[in-house]
Amino acid sequence: GGSTMSASVFFNRIACRDTQEFFSDEPYLLFNGSHLAGPFSDVDEGESRQINQRRTFTGQALVELFESDSPDGDDFLASITILEEEGEQGPQIREMKGDGARYILYYSVD
């Protein structure tokens, strides 16, 4: 109980629809600014990578997708905001799209 309820989010996997790079991407994810998953090496269109990570948050949380471009510095691709209310909606499928890349993030809030 108590007034500060926290929600839990389970990140299942991320799937690539379009890569940012001409060849393969090395995507990684941040959750509220902290490392969540990746960088995953050699991700091509049509492939997915398991995340299998659980995080807790209160109210809402920010998930950011980057492409690891060493040694050039990393490219920000997209971000989504996850809301506590999504816990009532079952598994979520959200598109993360930007800078020519398109990824699908699979997760659920409980």
Side-chain angles (χ1 to χ4, degrees):
S3 56
T4 54
M5 290 287 291
S6 69
S8 171
V9 53
F10 180 75
F11 294 95
N12 184 350
R13 63 190 176 98
I14 188 166
C16 179
R17 293 290 177 261
D18 297 299
T19 56
Q20 184 216 15
E21 300 287 319
F22 182 71
F23 295 108
S24 304
D25 281 355
E26 279 75 40
Y28 66 92
L29 291 157
L30 300 183
F31 180 82
N32 278 343
S34 300
H35 179 263
L36 174 65
F40 300 106
S41 59
D42 299 330
V43 177
D44 298 308
E45 292 172 16
E47 294 186 351
S48 64
R49 293 289 186 271
Q50 293 301 124
I51 299 174
N52 295 338
Q53 292 285 332
R54 186 174 288 284
R55 295 287 187 273
T56 55
F57 67 98
T58 303
Q60 62 181 46
L62 179 68
V63 179
E64 296 167 291
L65 176 66
F66 289 84
E67 211 277 318
S68 179
D69 259 343
S70 57
D72 301 332
D74 299 341
D75 295 326
F76 170 75
L77 300 180
S79 68
I80 60 169
T81 300
I82 293 177
L83 303 174
E84 239 177 89
E85 297 86 78
E86 292 175 31
E88 296 154 22
Q89 299 165 15
Q92 299 290 307
I93 300 173
R94 296 279 292 277
E95 186 175 73
M96 300 189 76
K97 185 176 180 179
D99 206 10
R102 192 159 63 96
Y103 283 82
I104 312 292
L105 184 64
Y106 297 81
Y107 67 91
S108 54
V109 178
D110 50 46

